Amino acid sequence: MVILLSACTPSPKTALDVEQPEGWDDDLALAIPEDLNPDPNILEIELEAKITDIEIIEGTTTPVWTYGGTLPGPLIKAKVGDTVIIHFKNSLPDSTTIHWHGLRVPNQMDGVPGVTQPPVEPGGEFRYEFTVDDAGTYWHHPHVNSAAQIGWGMYGPIVVEDPNDSEEFGDDLVLVMSDISLNVGDGSFVPENSGGDFTSLFGKEGTVVLVNGKVRPTLKVRQGKQQRWRVINASRSRYIPIRLRDHTFTILGGDNGLAERSREAGRVVVTPSERADIVFTPMREPGSTQVFRWIPFNRGFGTVYRRASVPMMDIETVMDDPVIPAQIPEQLRTIEPIDISNAIETDLEMTIGQDETNNIEMGFNGIPYWNMMPLQARVGETHIWNLINNSDFNHPFHLHGYFFQVLDENRVPEWKDTVDVPVGETVRIAVNFEGRPGMWMYHCHILDHAEAGMMGQLWVGPADSTDPAPEQDLSVLIDVMVKEE
Ligand code: C2O
Ligand code: CU
């Protein structure tokens, strides 16, 4: 009898049986660039940096600095092993470059002016070409006047897909979270030099918070139907805690693809330039709307004082029947720990001081970028860097060109290119320089800190040579990097 009854009542559907609600991500849609190459393993696109009037605040326009005329720039999506070719043109009134944040590109493609390439002057062009061998969520941005240029809108997402990813993760949703400094009355930019030294010390945060370039867009969800959020924090200074009342998130990974195991978390903090790869399982009743808010995050002295939360996105649960969420696998991949038995250890203290004229001067080990000698390494070596922070602010430390592992047994093993170093703590990272010799950068990704001096260079020499790092013409660097407005 019981068997008969259950045969007549339809059993509840699972997340894998149903689609996302109609138009679920329409409000968050990103531009997709045209692929000019018929080869399915080559993505070849044109990308023009230009100023475009965009309506960010209703009824006003802002002269946004863009890649391709949209905010954020178009979604560059490839699959593991693809070749990516970008014909870049600079139509901005300032020189610029593109840095492929997190991608393990050849050194000449890294986009650092005066170090890996000449700056691309107004009207100039540059061809970037590399293969993408690591699945994950990445982004790109300029490395010239980067605090200002990123602050004005220069960033775009990159996704390198792994065709073997499990379908239980849910449908992909790229969420570029950022902020921008606008006068809300007329949409004009707040002048870059307002606030002076003191706001550089804090790290400037924009007056308006954006998700995929919009103020408070709407996302449609169905109760129980998972979505895979690929969150990119493209803010110049703002930390973004991902948190939603009555929900936990399943963390799949972060900067450079999947972690070894998935895990549940009530809050995922994404520092400037970090990425979070997380599964969101909507739990609210059909017909309800929940606001996803930015919540002040304490990243040091005075950073939460008198600050309110900000609505970022409305999450609307549609009137469809709830479904049973899919089971996310726990083991995601195997990540071998880096062999540190012969590692060369270096202390890098992230310091804040003052120069002779009392201007704020940041650096590593008390030395600002423009006076610093490059760190030395060779292809094949493994290094441990002790990132020490006795300053009054957290610093998101970023290394170009290589993935590292954080040496901390309490963390699930994963590959990273950016890590938060909280006030009063030391974070130890291990990195193997597996190839691609050249001059690479490392810096704090609070870009106001980087430009105040918290940036350095790393010379990775060829395995078979003992020559020291080449002489750097630092005047070129200083010209380009700390050029005054
Ligand atoms: Cu996003 Cu020098 O980096
Ligand atoms: Cu910093």
Side-chain angles (χ1 to χ4, degrees):
M1 199 57 184
V2 172
I3 290 162
L4 264 177
L5 264 179
S6 67
C8 305
T9 349
S11 56
K13 291 189 170 137
T14 76
L16 296 181
D17 301 328
V18 299
E19 309 263 294
Q20 296 290 349
E22 175 88 23
W24 65 292
D25 59 351
D26 282 1
D27 210 18
L28 292 152
L30 295 162
I32 305 291
E34 186 193 351
D35 184 357
L36 304 169
N37 198 305
D39 186 326
N41 301 318
I42 302 176
L43 174 66
E44 184 166 357
I45 63 171
E46 281 171 352
L47 199 58
E48 182 184 4
K50 58 179 175 190
I51 295 179
T52 305
D53 285 329
I54 295 180
E55 184 175 0
I56 296 173
I57 307 282
E58 225 183 304
T60 70
T61 58
T62 301
V64 180
W65 288 43
T66 71
Y67 287 111
T70 59
L71 179 67
L75 171 60
I76 296 175
K77 195 177 188 176
K79 51 185 191 333
V80 177
D82 281 358
T83 296
V84 178
I85 300 168
I86 289 105
H87 302 278
F88 177 58
K89 178 163 198 276
N90 180 13
S91 302
L92 296 169
D94 193 6
S95 63
T96 193
T97 59
I98 307 181
H99 168 58
W100 310 95
H101 184 114
L103 290 172
R104 296 198 284 177
V105 298
N107 189 255
Q108 326 80 264
M109 294 292 129
D110 199 42
V112 182
V115 178
T116 66
Q117 68 168 89
V120 186
E121 299 299 341
E125 299 186 2
F126 196 87
R127 182 183 196 272
Y128 292 98
E129 176 173 348
F130 44 83
T131 59
V132 289
D133 294 322
D134 304 291
T137 309
Y138 305 89
W139 63 299
H140 64 91
H141 62 76
H143 230 282
V144 176
N145 290 334
S146 49
Q149 291 194 359
I150 290 176
W152 294 329
M154 303 279 294
Y155 38 82
I158 305 172
V159 169
V160 181
E161 285 187 313
D162 183 343
N164 298 321
D165 276 355
S166 132
E167 66 170 327
E168 276 81 10
F169 296 165
D171 298 281
D172 252 45
L173 180 65
V174 176
L175 296 172
V176 181
M177 300 190 180
S178 63
D179 60 13
I180 194 161
S181 266
L182 300 180
N183 298 302
V184 281
D186 63 359
S188 63
F189 281 122
V190 174
E192 179 55 23
N193 52 10
S194 73
D197 235 25
F198 202 60
T199 51
S200 301
L201 176 64
F202 276 79
K204 293 182 185 174
E205 295 188 19
T207 54
V208 174
V209 182
L210 304 172
V211 181
N212 290 1
K214 289 195 171 168
V215 176
R216 202 170 171 175
T218 299
L219 170 66
K220 290 187 191 158
V221 303
R222 179 173 183 159
Q223 191 183 340
K225 170 75 179 165
Q226 278 118 333
Q227 308 188 341
R228 179 183 189 175
W229 287 7
R230 293 175 178 270
V231 178
I232 300 166
N233 184 352
S235 318
R236 59 193 276 178
S237 300
R238 183 185 296 264
Y239 280 49
I240 301 179
I242 307 293
R243 221 185 107 179
L244 201 56
R245 188 183 293 271
D246 304 328
H247 291 80
T248 58
F249 293 89
T250 310
I251 305 178
L252 299 177
D255 293 343
N256 314 119
L258 300 175
E260 190 165 78
R261 299 186 299 279
S262 64
R263 62 197 190 275
E264 288 297 307
R267 184 178 80 157
V268 186
V269 177
V270 190
T271 74
S273 92
E274 265 189 322
R275 284 85 68 209
D277 189 350
I278 57 183
V279 175
F280 168 50
T281 309
M283 300 302 285
R284 284 289 167 102
E285 294 293 307
S288 62
T289 297
Q290 185 173 17
V291 185
F292 174 82
R293 297 179 157 271
W294 178 80
I295 309 214
F297 177 81
N298 188 353
R299 58 176 177 83
F301 178 76
T303 51
V304 289
Y305 181 65
R306 296 192 134 184
R307 299 190 70 186
S309 69
V310 183
M312 285 185 83
M313 182 165 71
D314 288 326
I315 300 177
E316 184 188 311
T317 311
V318 299
M319 291 296 288
D320 279 331
D321 291 336
V323 294
I324 298 168
Q327 196 61 45
I328 313 282
E330 198 196 313
Q331 182 75 29
L332 301 175
R333 72 194 280 198
T334 307
I335 294 185
E336 292 295 335
I338 292 179
D339 175 6
I340 52 170
S341 50
N342 292 311
I344 297 165
E345 201 157 338
T346 307
D347 285 350
L348 281 181
E349 182 171 359
M350 308 171 90
T351 49
I352 301 179
Q354 283 177 324
D355 67 10
E356 318 77 59
T357 56
N358 291 327
N359 287 320
I360 286 165
E361 190 177 79
M362 305 200 184
F364 286 94
N365 298 334
I367 306 169
Y369 176 58
W370 40 91
N371 292 332
M372 207 183 297
M373 295 303 293
L375 291 178
Q376 305 272 341
R378 285 206 181 270
V379 165
E381 286 176 358
T382 295
H383 286 228
I384 292 173
W385 290 358
N386 299 311
L387 308 170
I388 304 163
N389 183 4
N390 293 317
S391 78
D392 290 331
F393 296 93
N394 290 26
H395 302 289
F397 177 89
H398 170 52
L399 170 64
H400 285 211
Y402 301 92
F403 296 170
F404 56 76
Q405 291 178 357
V406 178
L407 299 175
D408 178 349
E409 277 161 17
N410 298 316
R411 293 194 186 224
V412 174
E414 65 174 334
W415 293 107
K416 288 192 67 60
D417 57 61
T418 306
V419 66
D420 189 33
V421 187
V423 172
E425 291 186 24
T426 295
V427 173
R428 304 182 76 219
I429 61 171
V431 51
N432 174 255
F433 301 112
E434 89 288 344
R436 295 166 303 115
M439 191 69 89
W440 299 95
M441 310 297 293
Y442 59 90
H443 57 91
C444 177
H445 225 289
I446 289 181
L447 296 166
D448 298 292
H449 290 181
E451 288 183 2
M454 197 177 283
M455 179 153 66
Q457 290 178 292
L458 160 75
W459 170 248
V460 180
D464 53 2
S465 134
T466 51
D467 295 345
E471 281 286 323
Q472 285 286 289
D473 180 0
L474 286 171
S475 66
V476 178
L477 287 171
I478 291 168
D479 256 22
V480 178
M481 303 306 299
V482 292
K483 180 165 71 181
E484 289 299 309
E485 294 102 275

